[in-house]
Amino acid sequence: MYHVLQWFSVCLVVLVNCGFAQEAPLFFDQPPDDDYYRRTNMKDCPKRFYWGRNDPLGGGGGYGGTRVLRGEFQHMVALGWTRPSGKIDYLCGGSLITAAFILTAAHCSVDHDNIPPDTVRIGDTDLGSPEDDEFAQQIAIRVITVHPQYRGSRKYFDIALIELIKPAKFSAAVCAACLWHEEELPGERMDAVGFGVTGFGEDLSPTLQRVQLDRIALTRCSERLTINRRQMPEGLRYDQFCAAGNNMDTCEGDSGGPIGVKRLDVGGDIISVIVGIVSFGTPCTAGSMGVYTRVAAYIDWLERETNKSLSYGACTKGIYCPGRLKNGTTVLYGRGFYRTRYGLIWDKEEPSEFECGATLIDYKFLLTSAHCVTARREHPKYVNFDSDLGTERVAITDVYVAPRYRPGRPENDIALVKVGRFINADYFRPVCLWDRRILGEWSGVPVFRAYGPFARSTDPLLLVNGTITIRGSNGRNCRITNDPASDLVCYNNNVNMMPGVCSVDYGASAVNGSIRMMPAYTFGVISAMTKDCGSNLIVTDITPHIDWIEAIIVGRRDKVHIFSD
């Protein structure tokens, strides 16, 4: 039986021109065969579009801290002052944010004798031994740029950039970190790292230490701080935040160093993201607390000074870090063996094919969400059909919305779009509809569509949107409603993603991970209730709507369409 399938994971490769010659056009103006209008249902989809077809792919395809290990915080930098004796005092920390620039605190621009640092040490987790010397890089400082509004007598604008005399070489021990752009701080505990003292009155630590800290509300922080009104006439500002931990804190010598989180990129790379810079705090004892400069408030200034984009995409895709640590993830680049998702276009002059997705399910029809086609005054005008032979925009002639859909409600969020030409099924492969009434409950792992910045191999600095797949797991702990008649189905997904690297492709379908020349099935349409790529995945079940879909496509009933040209 065609519906007894063994599901496989999606092939995780980006497909390019596969070397087959175009012997027929991509589209036709006439029906593909004599029985096109004689169909009574769409259950012949596997036979019609897969079995016996040509293979379109051809043949290939601080205080209380813990010791940090090498490669764990590749961006950590120690700022050094070379003394007349030749000894180097490492008195502050910093973070590598590009190959040539280090982020630190403005008050680290000079020591107590008003002498600036002259060198940095990168990739060394033990300054007191030669353990990491083969991985470490010692680089001279070219110039230090302090924020123009910083004053040494105040606790504000405590941020500075250090430009190196030569770029650092990225390795398993050295790599740049990303910067947190969001107004809200991360919800999880944050890591602060540095070579500071490990307790009040103690010496600086020769080994790199990590402490885990929680954010503290500014009002509570103000109550615990002894605020000098001359130093802080405005109190704590929006560009500062406080954090503390259980018997942990940043201490003297940690100044200028990073506090941040680790997030997963698409594909599982673990990315360090800097949220703040160690500025000042209460005495370093049990119950102590630190104040940090909020990096997100200074992104524009940092980009102007470095003359580089510090976006999430540029940071994660514009650089290559050998030996970057990885973790298992359900969020990966790739689209599977078949192109089944296509973009809806509203403005031909300024097309954005990732504004809403649609899934090809027949020669002229694509499945999408009702909220995608009704959210604007006008319906989408074109479908962007991309193939290995090129891209062509085909005009949409009709849009149909599920009759039970109500704007603002998540249920029945299904729609169809009809294009003006018939696809050539040897080049564009429609997916089949999974009907639970006949095929039983869904099997295997549903694959959800998303997109995010991807670096072209020819120019790593030119970022384009690439296709991302997210694999959902069972929905035992994932409930939306107690209504047994609801068409919403939830799949578990919990990935602590980097911001800005993955966006849910609303309107696209959840499909099975088909293998080459085996039928691809859609289980339903990705619901707007799916918050983001790292959260639970919610789909509008296709089964309750199959009769309506077949009435439109093979029954040629158009009484429920809402738009028509």
Side-chain angles (χ1 to χ4, degrees):
M1 296 291 289
Y2 67 80
H3 58 270
V4 181
L5 299 175
Q6 176 68 41
W7 302 130
F8 289 84
S9 298
V10 173
C11 177
L12 303 177
V13 295
V14 177
L15 299 175
V16 295
N17 194 312
C18 297
F20 61 89
Q22 182 176 357
E23 299 177 352
L26 297 177
F27 299 92
F28 299 106
D29 294 321
Q30 300 299 321
D33 49 48
D34 293 338
D35 68 345
Y36 174 77
Y37 289 119
R38 292 199 292 266
R39 293 182 298 168
T40 59
N41 58 54
M42 298 172 63
K43 295 176 179 58
D44 66 342
C45 171
K47 179 180 179 181
R48 178 177 290 272
F49 295 120
Y50 291 89
W51 300 341
R53 284 275 179 186
N54 294 327
D55 186 347
L57 295 180
Y63 171 71
T66 57
R67 176 79 159 87
V68 170
L69 302 177
R70 182 174 66 250
E72 197 173 355
F73 293 94
Q74 297 167 288
H75 59 284
M76 183 62 200
V77 177
L79 308 189
W81 281 256
T82 305
R83 304 310 183 187
S85 64
K87 177 178 179 291
I88 300 177
D89 290 334
Y90 294 100
L91 304 179
C92 272
S95 303
L96 194 67
I97 60 171
T98 75
F101 284 93
I102 291 166
L103 181 66
T104 189
H107 76 265
C108 286
S109 60
V110 294
D111 65 5
H112 294 301
D113 296 318
N114 210 35
I115 298 172
D118 63 323
T119 186
V120 302
R121 185 82 167 170
I122 317 175
D124 198 340
T125 65
D126 191 346
L127 300 175
S129 82
E131 177 185 347
D132 287 337
D133 284 1
E134 63 177 297
F135 306 101
Q137 299 177 40
Q138 194 82 35
I139 305 177
I141 292 173
R142 180 188 300 277
V143 65
I144 303 174
T145 303
V146 173
H147 192 279
Q149 292 178 268
Y150 173 74
R151 301 293 179 268
S153 59
R154 300 287 176 91
K155 296 290 188 182
Y156 302 135
F157 304 103
D158 194 7
I159 186 170
L161 273 172
I162 293 174
E163 184 178 1
L164 302 177
I165 201 165
K166 64 177 182 180
K169 296 179 180 178
F170 292 161
S171 67
V174 175
C175 190
C178 296
L179 301 182
W180 186 262
H181 289 236
E182 315 306 304
E183 290 186 9
E184 290 293 322
L185 295 175
E188 67 266 37
R189 305 193 86 187
M190 293 177 280
D191 292 319
V193 290
F195 294 97
V197 299
T198 56
F200 183 72
E202 298 184 14
D203 294 330
L204 297 178
S205 169
T207 59
L208 187 59
Q209 302 286 310
R210 176 183 73 170
V211 295
Q212 290 192 308
L213 307 174
D214 295 305
R215 57 191 280 185
I216 297 175
L218 288 183
T219 52
R220 183 182 167 204
C221 184
S222 298
E223 294 171 356
R224 294 176 59 180
L225 278 176
T226 302
I227 296 179
N228 184 319
R229 287 299 173 184
R230 288 187 176 182
Q231 292 182 321
M232 302 182 67
E234 301 176 48
L236 289 170
R237 290 163 35 103
Y238 74 96
D239 56 351
Q240 298 170 304
F241 67 92
C242 300
N246 298 325
N247 297 322
M248 292 183 174
D249 191 16
T250 49
C251 301
E252 182 181 357
D254 291 323
S255 286
I259 180 173
V261 294
K262 289 183 180 291
R263 291 291 182 93
L264 291 184
D265 191 12
V266 178
D269 283 346
I270 300 174
I271 308 293
S272 291
V273 191
I274 301 168
V275 179
I277 304 165
V278 180
S279 184
F280 68 98
T282 59
C284 195
T285 59
S288 59
M289 180 180 57
V291 179
Y292 302 84
T293 301
R294 188 191 296 262
V295 169
Y298 294 94
I299 297 294
D300 291 344
W301 178 75
L302 293 170
E303 290 187 326
R304 285 196 303 270
E305 293 297 325
T306 60
N307 196 30
K308 288 184 176 295
S309 169
L310 300 175
S311 69
Y312 295 126
C315 171
T316 56
K317 307 302 183 299
I319 61 175
Y320 170 65
C321 290
R324 182 172 262 168
L325 299 177
K326 296 182 76 72
N327 202 349
T329 181
T330 60
V331 185
L332 301 153
Y333 280 108
R335 60 166 172 79
F337 284 111
Y338 302 114
R339 285 185 175 92
T340 58
R341 181 267 181 210
Y342 302 97
L344 301 181
I345 304 294
W346 275 261
D347 188 341
K348 194 173 184 180
E349 299 303 319
E350 297 181 10
S352 174
E353 65 170 309
F354 287 98
E355 190 166 348
C356 263
T359 303
L360 186 66
I361 61 171
D362 200 66
Y363 295 99
K364 299 181 75 171
F365 288 88
L366 296 95
L367 181 69
T368 187
S369 66
H371 81 268
C372 270
V373 298
T374 60
R376 295 188 178 198
R377 292 182 179 179
E378 296 182 331
H379 68 282
K381 295 292 189 286
Y382 303 92
V383 172
N384 197 68
F385 283 96
D386 60 318
S387 73
D388 292 324
L389 300 178
T391 299
E392 187 167 339
R393 295 191 186 105
V394 180
I396 294 173
T397 60
D398 293 281
V399 176
Y400 306 86
V401 173
R404 294 194 299 272
Y405 173 70
R406 298 294 178 267
R409 295 291 305 168
E411 298 86 2
N412 306 304
D413 193 4
I414 293 279
L416 294 173
V417 295
K418 180 181 179 182
V419 295
R421 307 186 72 192
F422 296 90
I423 57 100
N424 183 338
D426 283 333
Y427 298 115
F428 301 103
R429 202 56 57 92
V431 302
C432 303
L433 305 180
W434 183 272
D435 191 338
R436 289 188 291 105
R437 299 168 299 183
I438 299 173
L439 305 177
E441 293 302 315
W442 301 348
S443 302
V445 176
V447 178
F448 286 66
R449 299 296 187 192
Y451 60 93
F454 186 82
R456 291 185 183 275
S457 58
T458 54
D459 184 356
L461 295 181
L462 179 60
L463 299 178
V464 297
N465 277 323
T467 301
I468 296 170
T469 60
I470 312 170
R471 290 173 292 173
S473 60
N474 71 76
R476 284 193 294 267
N477 300 314
C478 182
R479 182 175 294 276
I480 311 162
T481 176
N482 292 320
D483 182 3
S486 173
D487 63 349
L488 296 172
V489 180
C490 183
Y491 279 83
N492 291 119
N493 184 51
N494 184 16
V495 182
N496 203 16
M497 293 289 298
M498 276 278 298
V501 298
C502 183
S503 301
V504 176
D505 193 4
Y506 297 112
S509 285
V511 298
N512 66 295
S514 63
I515 61 175
R516 186 176 301 174
M517 296 314 297
M518 292 298 288
Y521 281 89
T522 174
F523 303 131
V525 176
I526 300 173
S527 169
M529 293 186 70
T530 301
K531 181 181 176 183
D532 53 49
C533 296
S535 65
N536 287 338
L537 305 168
I538 301 168
V539 61
T540 303
D541 185 3
I542 198 71
T543 295
H545 305 281
I546 288 179
D547 291 344
W548 171 76
I549 291 171
E550 290 183 334
I552 298 296
I553 295 178
V554 299
R556 294 197 286 171
R557 288 167 47 190
D558 61 357
K559 63 183 180 182
V560 288
H561 71 70
I562 62 165
F563 299 118
S564 178
D565 287 338

